[in-house]
């Protein structure tokens, strides 16, 4: 049995088991993802913007005025800032940009739209701050955090404010109106995902685009910046992710959909166990760099 297969079984048993309480899942999730050692050549600082406590990861080698706002996964239930610190520090190094990692409050404390409105206030505050004045932003995230990336973009569009220059996501949870399908991944189940979705939405309609971005109109999608989506063909949510990628294509959004085969859900977070993780994160970071580079080129060649 490979290290990745062993990890898959451990995750199923200690994080995504129906027998566990929410507190146990969250605690076990952190123990899986947390590393006390951050990568070399990356500084970490804790700051507060608009009431949100964030971690800012700054690589020694970085491009000026480029920032990734990363929303962590965990289905608005089990993920935490602590569990994603090492990954975001590595991402900062890989894409040579500052990465901001906020704490997303779990639905056990607040339900929709609290997390979205908190993300909006944070994004507003960052743009108005002296620290990040004039910066270009890319929204990035995984799972439920990726959902928040698209929902925040729709929210910003509605407010007619400055959007990010791009969105880069992994395994986005874009349709909370879940359908039962064959669980190829062996980690997530319909029952667990359905529970997470309904806890997040509360009494709100699951078809609301700010809850299920796949329900956004073609007109809304046409305003999207460049979108990069990375997923594995073996994950439970693959069908909805592929459908959303097709919607973007039909709306003529500049986008790319990268699919990995025979990989577990969110394998990118486990470079020591999953052999394709380094390749995937490198690709993910490269697309972010291209988003910033494209924007820089457009600013310096406005007539081309």
């Amino acid at each position: 049995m490979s290290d990745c297969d062993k990890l898959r079984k451990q995750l199923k048993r200690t994080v995504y088991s129906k027998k566990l309480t929410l507190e146990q899942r969250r605690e076990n999730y952190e123990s899986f993802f947390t590393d006390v050692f951050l990568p070399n050549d990356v500084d970490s600082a804790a700051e507060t913007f608009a009431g949100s406590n964030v971690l800012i990861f700054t690589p020694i080698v970085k491009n000026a005025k480029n920032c990734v706002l990363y929303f962590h996964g965990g289905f608005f239930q089990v993920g935490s800032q602590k569990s994603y610190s090492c990954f975001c520090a590595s991402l900062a190094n890989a894409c040579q940009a500052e990465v901001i990692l906020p704490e997303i409050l779990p639905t056990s404390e607040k339900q929709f739209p609290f997390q979205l409105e908190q993300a909006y206030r944070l994004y507003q505050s960052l743009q108005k701050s002296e620290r990040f004045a004039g910066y270009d932003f890319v929204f990035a995230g995984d799972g439920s955090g990726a959902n928040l990336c698209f929902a925040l973009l729709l929210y910003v569009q509605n407010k007619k404010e400055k959007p990010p220059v791009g969105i880069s996501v992994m395994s986005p949870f874009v349709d909370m109106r879940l359908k039962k399908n064959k669980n190829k991944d062996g980690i997530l189940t319909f029952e667990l995902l359905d529970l997470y979705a309904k806890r997040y939405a509360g009494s709100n309609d699951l078809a609301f685009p700010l809850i299920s971005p796949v329900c956004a109109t073609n007109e809304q999608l046409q305003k999207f910046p460049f979108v990069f989506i990375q997923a594995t063909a073996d994950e439970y949510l693959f069908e909805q992710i592929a459908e959303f990628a097709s919607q973007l294509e039909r709306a003529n959004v500049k986008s790319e959909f990268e699919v990995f085969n025979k990989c577990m859900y969110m394998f990118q977070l486990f470079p020591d166990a999953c052999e394709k993780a380094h390749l995937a994160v490198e690709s993910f970071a490269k697309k972010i760099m291209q988003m910033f580079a494209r924007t820089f080129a457009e600013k310096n060649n406005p007539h081309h």
Side-chain angles (χ1 to χ4, degrees):
M1 184 183 292
S2 70
D3 288 344
C4 208
D5 287 333
K6 291 177 184 176
L7 184 63
R8 188 197 307 258
K9 288 183 178 294
Q10 285 180 294
L11 279 169
K12 175 70 175 177
R13 185 179 68 252
T14 63
V15 176
Y16 296 114
S17 170
K18 291 185 289 185
K19 298 177 182 178
L20 301 173
T21 65
L22 174 60
E23 291 72 22
Q24 288 173 320
R25 289 176 190 156
R26 193 175 175 86
E27 184 178 326
N28 291 345
Y29 194 90
E30 285 193 349
S31 71
F32 264 103
F33 290 88
T34 302
D35 193 326
V36 294
F37 299 106
L38 294 181
N40 293 328
D41 303 327
V42 178
D43 292 326
S44 173
E47 294 192 31
T48 302
F49 292 88
S52 290
N53 297 321
V54 304
L55 290 176
I56 303 174
F57 301 99
T58 305
I60 290 178
V61 178
K62 73 181 184 75
N63 294 305
K65 296 189 179 297
N66 289 344
C67 186
V68 177
L69 181 53
Y70 194 94
F71 297 105
H72 66 73
F75 302 102
F76 301 110
Q77 291 277 320
V78 295
S80 68
Q81 190 182 60
K82 181 180 178 182
S83 55
Y84 277 81
S85 294
C86 189
F87 174 77
C88 284
S90 297
L91 181 62
N93 229 354
C95 64
Q96 297 179 7
E98 291 182 90
V99 174
I100 295 176
L101 174 64
E103 182 75 83
I104 299 173
L105 204 66
T107 54
S108 57
E109 297 183 42
K110 295 283 186 179
Q111 291 180 307
F112 178 88
F114 181 85
Q115 291 81 357
L116 176 58
E117 291 176 344
Q118 183 183 39
Y120 174 66
R121 289 192 297 270
L122 170 60
Y123 181 52
Q124 264 194 320
S125 179
L126 290 170
Q127 291 185 99
K128 293 177 181 177
S129 70
E130 183 178 345
R131 169 76 168 79
F132 291 99
Y135 269 61
D136 287 320
F137 286 85
V138 163
F139 293 169
D142 63 279
S144 55
N147 173 297
L148 205 51
C149 289
F150 293 118
L152 179 57
L153 175 58
L154 291 169
Y155 203 77
V156 167
Q157 283 181 350
N158 190 48
K159 299 283 187 181
K160 295 181 170 57
E161 296 188 16
K162 182 182 177 181
V165 300
I167 289 184
S168 189
V169 295
M170 296 179 286
S171 301
F173 192 4
V174 287
D175 191 352
M176 295 201 180
R177 306 165 303 165
L178 286 157
K179 298 176 184 176
K180 284 191 175 183
N181 59 41
K182 186 178 179 182
N183 187 3
K184 297 177 288 184
D185 188 50
I187 295 179
L188 300 172
T189 64
F190 170 83
E191 289 75 20
L192 196 59
L193 287 169
D194 189 53
L195 175 66
Y196 287 155
K198 288 175 178 174
R199 280 184 175 173
Y200 176 62
S203 60
N204 295 281
D205 186 356
L206 290 172
F208 186 34
L210 296 182
I211 292 175
S212 293
V214 74
C215 296
T217 66
N218 198 60
E219 184 180 4
Q220 289 174 311
L221 295 177
Q222 286 173 345
K223 298 175 184 176
F224 275 25
F226 186 89
V227 176
F228 176 67
I229 298 175
Q230 193 176 80
T232 169
D234 301 309
E235 64 182 282
Y236 192 91
L237 298 176
F238 183 75
E239 288 182 12
Q240 62 166 259
I241 297 168
E243 170 56 30
F244 188 60
S246 296
Q247 283 182 242
L248 293 174
E249 189 175 349
R250 291 194 296 271
N252 294 318
V253 175
K254 292 180 180 177
S255 60
E256 289 185 38
F257 183 29
E258 184 176 36
V259 180
F260 284 82
N261 294 298
K262 298 181 179 179
C263 293
M264 60 179 275
Y265 170 71
M266 289 311 303
F267 70 98
Q268 299 95 325
L269 301 185
F270 301 101
D272 293 333
C274 303
E275 61 180 21
K276 295 180 182 178
H278 286 290
L279 179 65
V281 174
E282 184 180 321
S283 175
F284 191 77
K286 183 179 179 181
K287 293 303 175 185
I288 292 175
M289 294 176 77
Q290 288 175 356
M291 292 173 193
F292 286 129
R294 182 182 290 110
T295 304
F296 179 81
E298 288 172 354
K299 285 180 178 178
N300 288 273
N301 297 281
H303 301 296
H304 292 278

